[in-house]
Amino acid sequence: NAGVTQTPKFRVLKTGQSMTLLCAQDMNHEYMYWYRQDPGMGLRLIHYSVGEGTTAKGEVPDGYNVSRLKKQNFLLGLESAAPSQTSVYFCASSYGLADQETQYFGPGTRLLVL
Amino acid sequence: KNEVEQSPQNLTAQEGEFITINCSYSVGISALHWLQQHPGGGIVSLFMLSSGKKKHGRLIATINIQEKHSSLHITASHPRDSAVYICAVRFLGNEKLTFGTGTRLTIIP
C-alpha cells in the first residue's frame, strides 16, 4: 500500500496563477483532510470531506476550493494564488472522525507563491 | 477559547536521557493525539488516547483529564528520535483537531 500520496511535492507560482494539489489514498478511508503548516503555527484545517461527493469548510478555507469526486482522491484548488498561501500543505485521511481514528498523513507539498 | 500549548518549544538532550514533552489544553476534549514530524517533513501518528496511559516501544503517553494535561515520554533517547513532536486535541463539540505548535527535540550522540 502506498498510503497517502500527494502531487506535486514542490511548486512555485506567481501571484494570480491557479493550481490543483492532488491527494490520493489507497486505504479505503472515508474521511480526508487538507491542512496547511506555517512557521510558528500549528497545523490548520483548510477543508475536509466525510465521504465521496461531500466537502466541508475547516478553519481557514478562504482562497481554496476542494472536490471529492472519487473516494480515494481529494483535490485542493487555488484559483488565484496569493503570497499568503505560501505554505506546506498536508493531506490526511482516516476511517472515521478524529476522536476515534488515527489520521494518516501524506508527505506534504511545499508551495511558494511569488 | 480552545487552545493547545506545548512545552518546551525546543529541547536538546544527550543520547540515553529520559525525555518528557508536555501538552496542556484549555477545555474538555474527546481525544488527544501525539504525532511525530520527521526532519524531512513527514508526519506520523504515534498515539491517540482519551484516558490513562499508552506505551509503544520506548515511547509512553499519559493523559490526566482532570488536569487537562498530557505528557509524552521517551526512554533511552536516541539520535533517531530527533524530530518535532506535535500534540493535537479534539475539543468537545468540535469536529476538527486543534494542533499545538510542536516541540523540536534534538538528541546529541
Side-chain angles (χ1 to χ4, degrees):
Chain A
N1 288 351
V4 181
T5 58
Q6 291 182 230
T7 309
K9 289 184 170 55
F10 176 69
R11 183 78 184 267
V12 178
L13 289 179
K14 294 182 179 178
T15 297
Q17 287 185 318
S18 63
M19 78 164 294
T20 300
L21 283 69
L22 170 64
C23 175
Q25 53 92 7
D26 61 1
M27 296 174 281
N28 201 34
H29 286 170
E30 290 293 336
Y31 290 72
M32 297 186 75
Y33 316 83
W34 274 109
Y35 295 97
R36 60 178 289 173
Q37 185 178 43
D38 301 296
M41 304 184 74
L43 286 157
R44 291 182 294 168
L45 183 64
I46 304 171
H47 286 280
Y48 64 102
S49 168
V50 301
E52 181 179 320
T54 73
T55 63
K57 293 181 180 180
E59 186 182 353
V60 288
D62 294 343
Y64 305 95
N65 57 76
V66 288
S67 65
R68 183 101 181 265
L69 299 179
K70 292 182 179 181
K71 186 177 183 179
Q72 63 267 34
N73 296 336
F74 195 28
L75 280 62
L76 178 70
L78 285 75
E79 290 185 348
S80 179
S84 60
Q85 294 177 304
T86 292
S87 188
V88 181
Y89 292 85
F90 287 95
C91 176
S93 70
S94 66
Y95 282 112
L97 284 176
D99 66 337
Q100 296 173 16
E101 299 291 346
T102 297
Q103 290 194 13
Y104 295 83
F105 286 81
T109 294
R110 191 173 296 272
L111 176 65
L112 175 61
V113 182
L114 302 174
Chain B
K1 185 177 178 184
N2 294 351
E3 291 182 333
V4 179
E5 291 190 1
Q6 289 186 238
S7 63
Q9 285 188 320
N10 295 283
L11 178 58
T12 300
Q14 294 287 333
E15 183 174 356
E17 287 189 35
F18 181 82
I19 304 299
T20 296
I21 298 170
N22 299 297
C23 176
S24 298
Y25 48 91
S26 53
V27 294
I29 64 170
S30 56
L32 182 143
H33 298 248
W34 281 103
L35 306 105
Q36 180 191 53
Q37 185 166 25
H38 300 292
I43 299 173
V44 175
S45 181
L46 298 175
F47 295 103
M48 180 180 59
L49 63 166
S50 55
S51 65
K53 175 181 175 179
K54 286 191 176 181
K55 184 175 188 292
H56 185 257
R58 296 180 294 106
L59 300 177
I60 304 165
T62 64
I63 188 168
N64 184 320
I65 297 296
Q66 288 72 31
E67 297 288 326
K68 297 185 178 59
H69 180 268
S70 175
S71 293
L72 177 68
H73 304 287
I74 305 174
T75 62
S77 60
H78 190 277
R80 64 175 175 267
D81 297 326
S82 297
V84 175
Y85 292 84
I86 300 169
C87 171
V89 305
R90 185 174 183 223
F91 290 106
L92 292 172
N94 200 323
E95 287 185 327
K96 69 177 185 68
L97 284 176
T98 300
F99 291 80
T101 55
T103 294
R104 184 174 299 276
L105 174 66
T106 302
I107 304 298
I108 300 171

